[in-house]
Amino acid sequence: AGVSFCSSSSVLRTASSSQCTSSSSNSRSSRGCLFFRSSSSLSSSQSVVERDGSRRIGRGKKFVAFASSSSNDDNKTSESLQSSSVFLLGLMGTGKTTVGKKLADALGYGYFDTDQLIEQICKQKVHEIFEEDGEEGFRETESAILAEVASYKRVVVSTGGGIVTVRNNWMHLHNGVTVCLQGDHRTLARRVHKDGVGARPLLKECLSEEDEEAQITKIEEKIQSLWRDRGKMYAECDIAVSVNGEEDEAYGASVETIVERICKSIDKRLREDGKQEKLRKGPEVGDIEVKDLKTGERIDKID
């Protein structure tokens, strides 16, 4: 149902053992705890994980962010992932946050949202950070947050729409499976308008329109512009999943339907990668037997 595959590389990428700790063998990771430390400003990119499990930020305040967890350990997709994390990417309006929470529950994974973490740590809304530090300052903070959460296994991470614009971020995104949520731009515009435009720093100009349909059209034009700029970057994701619904579903498919599409897409892609891995392997001793057509005896050496 609207599913396509974007990358020919293997989906399963495992970070080095020094970076990732399996949630099944580490209580801090399984609870989804995240710790940051910054010795200067709250938007500093020098955040690191404390070895003793503690951290300090900006004004010396201690902060801990907990990811959600689920007991659904028997989920087939979760087993197929082999503890790899899942990163949700896509334009505004694709529902990365809402879908991410449901997907985490379905997989029995922890959950992080990079925008929410930024707001918790900086004690500011995203649009306020944009206003004070500009987009470049916000992206620096976003990259620091991503570097932290990417070191965890068995988590679903919902990211900001522009996270793909920083090339170095892909180094961290490739620690797991990247899923791009896509949809008809008009549908996305309706969803964004329904959620509210005021908190989105890239949609300031849309507030000048008083008529609802005029606002939606303005939002759609911005989404189309963003897609032109970022489409090739989103194409680097391992999997693309549509959020479109039936003709009578103006706001797209239900969250449950989208989560089901993601799980099916991941399963399919992992099966394909398994076949590719077998094809890449060279033949081993015993894989091929040569027999005499007359006697049926095995021939060990061909002259």
Side-chain angles (χ1 to χ4, degrees):
V3 175
S4 59
F5 301 89
C6 296
S7 172
S8 59
S9 60
S10 176
V11 169
L12 287 179
R13 304 180 185 88
T14 305
S16 63
S17 57
S18 62
Q19 291 178 314
C20 291
T21 306
S22 172
S23 61
S24 61
S25 61
N26 184 288
S27 59
R28 185 166 69 90
S29 178
S30 64
R31 291 177 64 195
C33 301
L34 183 67
F35 301 88
F36 296 94
R37 180 189 66 188
S38 175
S39 58
S40 55
S41 67
L42 289 177
S43 61
S44 170
S45 61
Q46 298 175 349
S47 299
V48 294
V49 175
E50 293 274 32
R51 291 295 180 186
D52 64 356
S54 65
R55 72 132 191 119
R56 298 278 175 180
I57 61 170
R59 304 186 180 97
K61 296 179 180 179
K62 206 164 187 178
F63 175 85
V64 182
F66 294 95
S68 61
S69 60
S70 171
S71 60
N72 186 14
D73 297 327
D74 297 327
N75 186 278
K76 183 179 70 173
T77 304
S78 179
E79 293 176 358
S80 300
L81 282 166
Q82 300 176 26
S83 296
S84 292
S85 293
V86 178
F87 295 89
L88 296 185
L89 298 91
L91 292 169
M92 64 177 74
T94 51
K96 298 182 292 293
T97 297
T98 306
V99 172
K101 292 175 182 177
K102 289 290 186 180
L103 179 62
D105 288 340
L107 297 177
Y109 271 27
Y111 175 73
F112 291 122
D113 182 293
T114 56
D115 280 354
Q116 290 178 2
L117 286 174
I118 290 170
E119 291 184 345
Q120 287 177 304
I121 291 172
C122 296
K123 307 300 182 185
Q124 288 178 296
K125 296 296 183 181
V126 168
H127 69 89
E128 293 173 340
I129 300 172
F130 263 80
E131 290 171 2
E132 290 188 15
D133 301 333
E135 184 171 358
E136 184 177 353
F138 174 80
R139 296 299 172 204
E140 288 182 4
T141 305
E142 183 179 56
S143 294
I145 299 296
L146 177 63
E148 299 285 356
V149 299
S151 66
Y152 286 81
K153 289 189 174 185
R154 295 182 62 81
V155 293
V156 173
V157 182
S158 297
T159 64
I163 206 165
V164 296
T165 62
V166 179
R167 192 69 223 169
N168 287 344
N169 286 344
W170 284 97
M171 173 180 65
H172 303 299
L173 293 170
H174 285 329
N175 279 340
V177 179
T178 50
V179 178
C180 180
L181 299 181
Q182 299 178 356
D184 174 76
H185 293 165
R186 189 70 178 182
T187 300
L188 301 187
R190 290 195 194 99
R191 292 164 68 127
V192 169
H193 183 270
K194 182 180 180 182
D195 291 340
V197 177
R200 296 184 181 271
L202 298 180
L203 297 179
K204 278 185 178 181
E205 65 273 18
C206 300
L207 294 173
S208 61
E209 300 290 345
E210 295 183 3
D211 180 69
E212 181 176 315
E213 283 303 311
Q215 270 197 1
I216 293 174
T217 298
K218 201 80 172 179
I219 296 170
E220 182 182 9
E221 290 172 355
K222 182 61 178 179
I223 289 175
Q224 289 172 341
S225 175
L226 290 172
W227 180 255
R228 286 192 295 270
D229 293 339
R230 301 173 181 174
K232 290 183 179 179
M233 303 171 196
Y234 289 131
E236 295 188 34
C237 290
D238 297 307
I239 296 166
V241 175
S242 172
V243 301
N244 292 335
E246 302 297 333
E247 289 186 7
D248 59 341
E249 295 178 303
Y251 294 99
S254 67
V255 175
E256 291 75 17
T257 297
I258 297 169
V259 168
E260 184 180 355
R261 290 176 183 175
I262 293 172
C263 290
K264 286 182 178 179
S265 299
I266 291 175
D267 288 338
K268 180 179 178 181
R269 182 60 191 273
L270 293 177
R271 287 197 302 270
E272 290 176 351
D273 277 353
K275 292 178 182 178
Q276 291 171 358
E277 186 63 31
K278 290 178 181 178
L279 291 173
R280 281 194 292 268
K281 287 175 59 179
E284 298 178 356
V285 176
D287 284 351
I288 300 174
E289 286 189 352
V290 179
K291 295 184 178 180
D292 187 299
L293 291 176
K294 293 183 179 179
T295 65
E297 295 179 357
R298 177 173 172 170
I299 300 175
D300 296 317
K301 184 178 179 181
I302 301 176
D303 296 327

